[in-house]
Amino acid sequence: GEGVKGYLTAVYKFVRPHTVRGTILASVCGVARALSECTVPLASTPWLELLPNALKGLLALVLGNAFIVGINQIYDVDIDRVNKPFLPVAADELSERQAWVLVLLGGLAGPCVVASTFSALILKLYSFGLLIGGVYSVPPLRFKRFPLAAGLTIATVRGFLLNFGVYYAAREALGLSFQWSPVIAFFACFMTVFAGTIAVAKDLPDIDGDALFGVETFSTRLGVKKIAQLVTGALCLNYAAAIATALLSPAGTFRAFVMVPGHALLALWLLKSHAKLEPDSQESVKKFYKRIWDLFYLEYMMYPFL
């Protein structure tokens, strides 16, 4: 489309909505978790002061997300013309100059919002996330060229930094000191593993373009079938560990009546999706990868109730 509507549609696609949904869920559910552990009566919480800070934090995370996925599209434009021709830079719906403006806006505005709202530690965590998220795509380091480094980068940013940072910032806003709880420790580990599997699974639909441009991934090395099996196996082990954690921990540590059936059902849904996967069908592979994101979202929806 042309005009303002066409530009806004291109920007919407540029920020990769499925990653934004994950960021928003992480924010909302992380704050909900912090509130559920708060010993201060909620009626006495200064909501009029906290709500603007929460919204600023969410804005900063969305801006950071836009920076990371945007800079990736700029440097991967040739690969995306093969793997993801619908993306706005690859499809020439946004010029490279327009993409850079959006990326710089996210990369500059995000830290400014964090610095004006949160503590120095939160700013350092946020800036570190932007740094390694950018290095993932930008030469000369360009971590995405190395499967292990790429996986560790995504696992660190979307698994640990995002969840720890949101929870820490929420407690800080409530005037509480940070303290590890069994639920937070479990969830940080669980989502780091989950984000690591997403980092591997995301290359499943991209084998053709990655192979064409010499980008080595686990998928180009081993093929769709083996990687899908490995991803499914890793996530099932993650779910099994969650169930075992709930059952073996001292009574009252976790809500086992949520954790056990919840993770068992998610594991069964994953296995059903894997059974339907047709490795030679691009549409089937994309559907399988989308299902992994759906499971990621559902885990966040359980988070406040664990």
Side-chain angles (χ1 to χ4, degrees):
E2 297 180 356
V4 174
K5 184 179 179 181
Y7 176 74
L8 292 177
T9 301
V11 171
Y12 176 75
K13 292 195 290 183
F14 183 71
V15 300
R16 306 307 306 275
H18 70 287
T19 65
V20 173
R21 284 193 291 271
T23 299
I24 292 173
L25 267 175
S27 303
V28 173
C29 295
V31 171
R33 182 72 221 181
L35 287 171
S36 73
E37 295 179 355
C38 183
T39 55
V40 178
L42 294 182
S44 63
T45 302
W47 295 107
L48 291 179
E49 296 176 18
L50 290 178
L51 188 57
N53 285 353
L55 293 175
K56 288 178 186 177
L58 180 57
L59 173 62
L61 289 172
V62 171
L63 287 168
N65 190 89
F67 170 81
I68 292 172
V69 300
I71 205 165
N72 178 258
Q73 290 173 66
I74 291 171
Y75 283 97
D76 274 11
V77 60
D78 291 330
I79 300 174
D80 286 342
R81 287 191 174 116
V82 177
N83 289 337
K84 304 181 184 79
F86 55 86
L87 291 178
V89 180
D92 294 322
E93 295 171 4
L94 285 177
S95 67
E96 186 175 324
R97 182 177 180 180
Q98 288 173 318
W100 270 115
V101 168
L102 292 170
V103 164
L104 292 175
L105 175 65
L108 294 174
C112 288
V113 172
V114 174
S116 66
T117 310
F118 301 102
S119 67
L121 176 59
I122 296 297
L123 177 60
K124 289 175 183 177
L125 290 172
Y126 183 87
S127 300
F128 179 63
L130 288 188
L131 174 64
I132 63 174
V135 166
Y136 173 85
S137 300
V138 178
L141 295 179
R142 196 164 160 78
F143 285 170
K144 72 165 290 173
R145 294 178 301 154
F146 311 106
L148 184 59
L152 288 173
T153 299
I154 293 173
T156 300
V157 174
R158 191 161 283 283
F160 178 76
L161 289 176
L162 176 59
N163 296 297
F164 172 80
V166 167
Y167 181 76
Y168 187 100
R171 286 189 65 90
E172 180 182 273
L174 290 166
L176 303 172
S177 60
F178 177 78
Q179 61 181 27
W180 282 106
S181 71
V183 172
I184 302 308
F186 157 77
F187 195 75
C189 293
F190 184 94
M191 294 309 277
T192 299
V193 173
F194 207 131
T197 61
I198 285 180
V200 175
K202 74 178 183 57
D203 297 318
L204 286 170
D206 297 343
I207 284 182
D208 292 342
D210 289 342
L212 183 64
F213 288 92
V215 177
E216 188 175 2
T217 67
F218 289 118
S219 295
T220 58
R221 281 184 186 180
L222 302 176
V224 169
K225 184 176 181 179
K226 286 186 178 179
I227 291 301
Q229 289 173 341
L230 287 171
V231 165
T232 301
L235 284 178
C236 282
L237 287 174
N238 210 24
Y239 287 132
I243 292 169
T245 299
L247 293 175
L248 299 177
S249 297
T253 305
F254 297 94
R255 294 189 178 101
F257 66 90
V258 175
M259 281 185 69
V260 173
H263 288 103
L265 288 172
L266 293 182
L268 288 173
W269 197 26
L270 171 64
L271 289 170
K272 182 180 179 181
S273 298
H274 180 259
K276 292 182 176 180
L277 174 65
E278 300 172 18
D280 296 326
S281 167
Q282 183 76 346
E283 192 62 34
S284 179
V285 171
K286 287 180 178 179
K287 189 173 181 180
F288 176 71
Y289 177 55
K290 180 181 179 297
R291 182 66 68 242
I292 292 174
W293 272 98
D294 292 338
L295 292 166
F296 190 73
Y297 301 147
L298 287 169
E299 187 65 35
Y300 272 114
M301 294 176 74
M302 275 201 293
Y303 180 28
F305 308 103
L306 298 180

